[in-house]
Amino acid sequence: MTPPMASSLAVLISLVCATLASSAAGVRVDLTRIHAHPGVTPSRFARDALRRDMHRHTARRLAAASNTTVSAPTKKNSPGGAGEYLMTLSIGTPPVRYPAIADTGSDLIWTQCAPCSDHHCFKQPTPLYNPASSTTFGLLPCGSPLSMCAVETAPGCSCPYNSYNYTYGTGWTAGIQGTETFTFGSTPADQTRVPNIAFGCSNASSDDFTGSSGLVGLGRGAVSLVTQLGAGRFSYCLTPFQDTRSTSKLLIGPSASLDGAAGVGSTTFVASPATGPSYYYLNLKGISLGTTALLIPPNAFSLKADGTGGLIIDSGTTITSLGNAAYQKIRAAVVSLVTLPTSADGSAATGFDLCFALPSPKAAPPAMPSMTLHFDGADMVLPSDSYMMQDSGVWCLAMQNQTDGEVNILGNYQQQNMHILYDVRHETLSFAPAECSTL
């Protein structure tokens, strides 16, 4: 997406400043999958998810730690979006409900703020947060260590307004930074209020975030929610992709664990490049389909010294994308096991590279073996429903290829029904298969 012109941003900043002049914790959050409008076909849903994921890797309070865990309800049932999971929290005093994309692939926390016209902002499912109506809003000083001017090398920040223009590859958001009280928990009994969280008050955004009211960055950077809460760990369990009713939890803090889970595997994070983005890099050593180890070049997923390559786990990207050398091996292995005819029409409709024609629109696809991702120290086993996607009459490989050397991304479609724990303090990712709808 093309970022807004500087002059437009200056006008918007002036409007916000005029409006404003007139007037450690843990978390538990439900997650909600953003689904398309009822009239949107699965084909269009998949195509839109792929578009939103494209080149997403190019973009990418200092509260004391406590013994409290904050939770956010997390589900996947909101109209208008394509492929993300929403966490629900509230912002301001009085609190304003705020469904936001839960994103481990970025850092900035932001929501759309009034004033914000339809021309500059996307339509959201909740009323716009108005900083002038909150008794706990404050402008973040440019000298703050959480200022985007201090933590970002991109040229999208300017002072004295402490404005930002944050880019996600195909999407962007722009505004000014502030501080606010955030409320976590779905009922009064489990609610936690955390003051002075630095966030983005956006009054211009692309339309790539429809179905949400903003985004919560869960990355490793200074401005992410995880870092600001001083949390040593967090976990989530993403409900099945086609399940539009169930809710799971995002836990940030000491209660985030996999205690009692069967089949837990753990792998160590790969150190991020010194000047690179704050992604959660993993050491993926190989991939098997069934009992067959695919002959993928050993360096296909390696993080290079210059910061290129590597593989990240990203809750905000839908479809896993892999370098062409690895992807073609997976594609060929799938083709060798499926006797159905390939469908060019299905590929064109979904945006996936490989689709098969089913005998009838409601026909069940054939059985397929699991796919195993061999991480350093642990294997992540994906059932066929986590790497193949059924649409009306077609059955597609739910992965995409990209240029070798670009960052590889493990998307949320491949994370469904997997209980995942990010132990940031000990630099470890742990995971176990789970029925997330009942967890």
Side-chain angles (χ1 to χ4, degrees):
M1 281 283 183
T2 303
M5 297 298 291
S7 58
S8 300
L9 182 57
V11 171
L12 290 168
I13 292 170
S14 297
L15 286 171
V16 172
C17 290
T19 301
L20 297 177
S22 66
S23 48
V27 263
R28 177 184 178 92
V29 192
D30 287 345
L31 289 175
T32 305
R33 161 76 72 184
I34 304 180
H35 273 279
H37 289 291
V40 176
T41 65
S43 296
R44 180 178 170 186
F45 170 81
R47 188 175 64 249
D48 289 348
L50 284 168
R51 177 185 64 81
R52 291 160 68 116
D53 291 346
M54 188 182 304
H55 303 306
R56 196 174 182 280
H57 57 279
T58 60
R60 313 274 188 241
R61 105 180 115 83
L62 301 177
S66 74
N67 292 323
T68 304
T69 295
V70 195
S71 75
T74 310
K75 198 181 175 185
K76 55 177 183 54
N77 183 24
S78 178
E84 290 92 355
Y85 285 81
L86 293 181
M87 56 186 290
T88 301
L89 57 161
S90 297
I91 181 173
T93 306
V96 175
R97 185 172 171 269
Y98 168 33
I101 296 168
D103 184 21
T104 62
S106 66
D107 296 324
L108 181 66
I109 307 164
W110 62 271
T111 188
Q112 295 192 123
C113 295
C116 198
S117 68
D118 290 342
H119 178 69
H120 293 112
C121 289
F122 58 86
K123 292 184 178 179
Q124 63 179 52
T126 55
L128 284 170
Y129 160 77
N130 188 341
S133 300
S134 174
T135 61
T136 46
F137 175 83
L139 284 170
L140 185 73
C142 274
S144 168
L146 298 183
S147 164
M148 297 299 290
C149 296
V151 302
E152 290 289 320
T153 57
C157 168
S158 63
C159 282
Y161 300 110
N162 209 352
S163 64
Y164 61 86
N165 190 326
Y166 201 86
T167 304
Y168 297 88
T170 57
W172 55 268
T173 187
I176 60 172
Q177 280 185 279
T179 61
E180 202 30 299
T181 294
F182 281 69
T183 303
F184 303 92
S186 53
T187 64
D190 68 357
Q191 282 185 344
T192 302
R193 286 173 59 82
V194 183
N196 299 322
I197 295 289
F199 77 108
C201 191
S202 291
N203 45 27
S205 301
S206 63
D207 62 359
D208 298 80
F209 312 97
T210 302
S212 73
S213 297
L215 185 146
V216 171
L218 300 172
R220 308 179 76 176
V223 298
S224 82
L225 180 62
V226 176
T227 304
Q228 291 196 61
L229 290 175
R233 57 190 179 183
F234 68 97
S235 67
Y236 56 70
C237 197
L238 303 183
T239 52
F241 206 76
Q242 304 300 334
D243 183 350
T244 63
R245 298 182 178 181
S246 300
T247 298
S248 61
K249 292 288 189 294
L250 166 68
L251 301 175
I252 306 177
S255 294
S257 75
L258 299 185
D259 292 348
V264 176
S266 297
T267 186
T268 303
F269 292 129
V270 177
S272 301
T275 58
S278 54
Y279 297 148
Y280 296 99
Y281 286 95
L282 303 175
N283 184 6
L284 179 60
K285 304 177 73 174
I287 299 175
S288 296
L289 192 57
T291 59
T292 303
L294 304 183
L295 298 178
I296 297 171
N299 63 346
F301 310 112
S302 298
L303 179 61
K304 310 300 189 297
D306 62 0
T308 59
L311 177 135
I312 65 171
I313 180 169
D314 185 1
S315 65
T317 291
T318 304
I319 305 301
T320 290
S321 59
L322 302 174
N324 191 60
Y327 172 82
Q328 292 301 336
K329 295 295 183 181
I330 296 172
R331 187 187 193 280
V334 171
V335 169
S336 71
L337 293 173
V338 180
T339 58
L340 297 171
T342 57
S343 171
D345 290 343
S347 297
T350 61
F352 292 123
D353 171 66
L354 177 63
C355 290
F356 301 95
L358 294 170
S360 67
K362 294 185 179 181
M368 283 286 282
S370 58
M371 180 182 293
T372 303
L373 307 182
H374 301 288
F375 292 105
D376 183 21
D379 289 343
M380 179 181 285
V381 180
L382 307 178
S384 60
D385 286 348
S386 292
Y387 69 88
M388 300 293 293
M389 181 184 289
Q390 184 174 0
D391 193 2
S392 180
V394 295
W395 194 44
C396 306
L397 175 60
M399 293 182 174
Q400 61 178 331
N401 66 330
Q402 60 185 18
T403 304
D404 288 323
E406 294 184 350
V407 66
N408 301 274
I409 302 174
L410 180 61
N412 64 43
Y413 189 81
Q414 280 66 43
Q415 298 175 51
Q416 61 182 312
N417 269 343
M418 192 71 65
H419 196 181
I420 301 177
L421 172 68
Y422 295 69
D423 192 331
V424 182
R425 187 161 295 146
H426 295 98
E427 296 288 323
T428 301
L429 183 87
S430 299
F431 48 85
E435 293 294 333
C436 294
S437 299
T438 60
L439 190 66

